[in-house]
């Protein structure tokens, strides 16, 4: 990713304000007021959408931009080992190697990655409500045909539309789920704003409401709760809600251990531990547990 492209993304829009969307977790009836009209102008929304089309954002791209990638050959080797401190009760500590991809990889050589031991992948399907990955079919279906357990992910832009609207768009453009033993639940990519304000101009309560709107809509349409991808630093700055009882955690930390997890998650399901030479991940469990996640 070039410096100039990153600069265009960051400077396109300065701090944007957004509406309070949907119902807060555990909110009372009195708090169920209709959301305020968005202060974003049509011109601003169109500018965001135009930038998404030109420079779509891969999973972890903004975490790497803000937090950096401290991974080394030594940390990568350590990350591929079981992490007993994060093991689920009564589960043998084990890992399964995986990866995630977006349009910048183009047509992926799935046989090559399979030969390197990768067994699962999430590929970017959508962003906002107007972007779809032009390489999605090759990446999603090609990995499946190679034998991968695969899923799709959505890069969230809470400043452009509601969580429900983005979940609906995601499901309609590759983010659905089927109980075929090879399809993972869709993942919601929550990370730093490419355009300005870290939390997209939302309060913690409003961001929680936006995520809940997506989370509940996705479940209503697929019967599965979405996996939530994030970093601990971003989540703790921007979100106040607890999704640990429903949404599997996919944590991003480019170091030798996952570190402290976001609020109230005691274990992670997936860990993105490096972005070099591409985003690489490890599943927290044995292969049969990965199959169980796919099967629901």
């Amino acid at each position: 990713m070039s410096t100039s492209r990153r600069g265009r993304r960051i400077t396109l829009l300065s701090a944007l304000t957004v509406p309070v969307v949907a119902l807060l977790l555990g909110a009372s009836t009195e708090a169920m007021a209709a959301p305020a009209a968005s202060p974003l102008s049509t011109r601003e929304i169109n500018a965001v959408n135009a930038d998404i089309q030109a420079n779509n954002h891969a999973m972890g791209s903004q975490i790497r931009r803000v937090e950096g990638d401290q991974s080394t050959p030594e940390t990568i080797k350590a990350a591929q080992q079981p992490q007993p401190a994060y093991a689920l009760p009564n589960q043998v500590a084990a890992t399964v190697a995986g990866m995630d991809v977006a349009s910048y990889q183009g047509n992926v050589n799935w046989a090559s990655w399979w030969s390197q031991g990768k067994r699962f992948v999430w590929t970017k399907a959508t962003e906002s409500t107007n972007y779809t990955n032009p390489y999605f079919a090759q990446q999603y279906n090609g990995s499946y045909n190679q034998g991968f357990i695969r899923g799709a992910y959505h890069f969230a832009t809470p400043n452009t539309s509601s969580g429900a609207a983005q979940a609906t768009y995601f499901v309609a453009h590759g983010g659905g789920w089927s109980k075929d033993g090879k399809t993972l639940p869709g993942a919601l990519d929550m990370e730093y704003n490419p355009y300005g304000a870290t939390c997209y101009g939302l309060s913690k309560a409003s961001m929680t409401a936006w995520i809940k709107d997506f989370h509940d809509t996705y479940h209503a349409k697929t019967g599965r709760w979405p996996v939530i991808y994030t970093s601990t630093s971003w989540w703790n700055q921007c979100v106040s809600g607890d999704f640990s009882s429903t949404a599997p955690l996919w944590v991003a930390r480019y170091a030798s251990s996952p570190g402290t997890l976001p609020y109230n998650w005691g274990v992670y399901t997936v860990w993105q531990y490096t972005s070099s030479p591409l985003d690489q991940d490890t599943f927290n469990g044995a292969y049969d547990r990965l199959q169980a996640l796919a099967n629901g």
Side-chain angles (χ1 to χ4, degrees):
M1 184 186 305
S2 69
T3 300
S4 62
R5 286 182 63 193
R6 286 198 301 269
R8 287 198 302 273
R9 297 178 189 180
I10 297 165
T11 60
L12 176 64
L13 292 176
S14 59
L16 301 176
T17 54
V18 295
V20 176
V21 293
L23 176 63
L24 303 185
L25 288 172
S28 64
T29 303
E30 290 76 15
M32 297 182 190
S38 171
L40 287 178
S41 68
T42 299
R43 179 181 178 183
E44 288 172 324
I45 292 174
N46 287 343
V48 172
N49 288 336
D51 186 65
I52 289 168
Q53 288 289 350
N55 303 300
N56 76 90
H57 309 105
M59 175 174 278
S61 59
Q62 305 312 303
I63 293 172
R64 180 173 61 252
R65 173 178 66 83
V66 176
E67 300 180 19
D69 185 344
Q70 292 80 37
S71 61
T72 65
E74 291 72 27
T75 66
I76 290 171
K77 183 177 180 180
Q80 293 169 342
Q81 304 304 310
Q83 304 283 318
Y86 300 94
L88 292 169
N90 303 316
Q91 180 175 314
V92 176
T95 63
V96 181
M99 56 197 286
D100 55 270
V101 298
S103 65
Y104 74 92
Q105 271 97 15
N107 291 323
V108 177
N109 184 339
W110 292 113
S112 175
W113 287 109
W114 182 267
S115 71
Q116 295 178 56
K118 305 300 185 186
R119 292 296 180 266
F120 71 92
V121 61
W122 268 274
T123 188
K124 182 173 181 178
T126 53
E127 182 172 345
S128 190
T129 54
N130 76 330
Y131 173 84
T132 58
N133 175 3
Y135 294 94
F136 180 76
Q138 190 277 340
Q139 294 175 350
Y140 191 73
N141 297 327
S143 58
Y144 180 95
N145 292 336
Q146 183 61 47
F148 284 79
I149 296 178
R150 52 79 158 113
Y153 76 85
H154 174 80
F155 189 102
T157 57
N159 57 333
T160 59
S161 54
S162 70
Q166 293 193 27
T168 298
Y169 185 79
F170 177 48
V171 171
H173 295 86
W177 175 79
S178 58
K179 192 172 183 177
D180 57 7
K182 299 292 290 294
T183 303
L184 295 161
L188 173 61
D189 181 355
M190 300 298 307
E191 54 185 287
Y192 298 89
N193 181 3
Y195 311 107
T198 292
C199 304
Y200 298 83
L202 275 71
S203 67
K204 285 187 173 184
S206 295
M207 184 65 80
T208 298
W210 192 96
I211 295 169
K212 184 173 180 357
D213 200 24
F214 186 104
H215 167 275
D216 291 357
T217 302
Y218 188 82
H219 183 263
K221 290 182 175 297
T222 66
R224 298 297 305 274
W225 301 109
V227 174
I228 291 179
Y229 168 93
T230 195
S231 76
T232 299
S233 177
W234 183 88
W235 188 269
N236 290 348
Q237 288 181 69
C238 298
V239 187
S240 58
D242 179 7
F243 294 88
S244 63
S245 65
T246 53
L249 171 65
W250 185 351
V251 66
R253 186 168 189 261
Y254 310 137
S256 59
S257 75
T260 302
L261 301 181
Y263 174 69
N264 222 35
W265 269 292
V267 297
Y268 67 89
T269 299
V270 182
W271 171 22
Q272 187 189 67
Y273 59 85
T274 186
S275 60
S276 178
L278 83 169
D279 294 344
Q280 298 186 60
D281 308 282
T282 185
F283 175 79
N284 186 18
Y287 189 77
D288 66 330
R289 295 295 84 204
L290 178 65
Q291 291 175 309
L293 177 63
N295 282 319

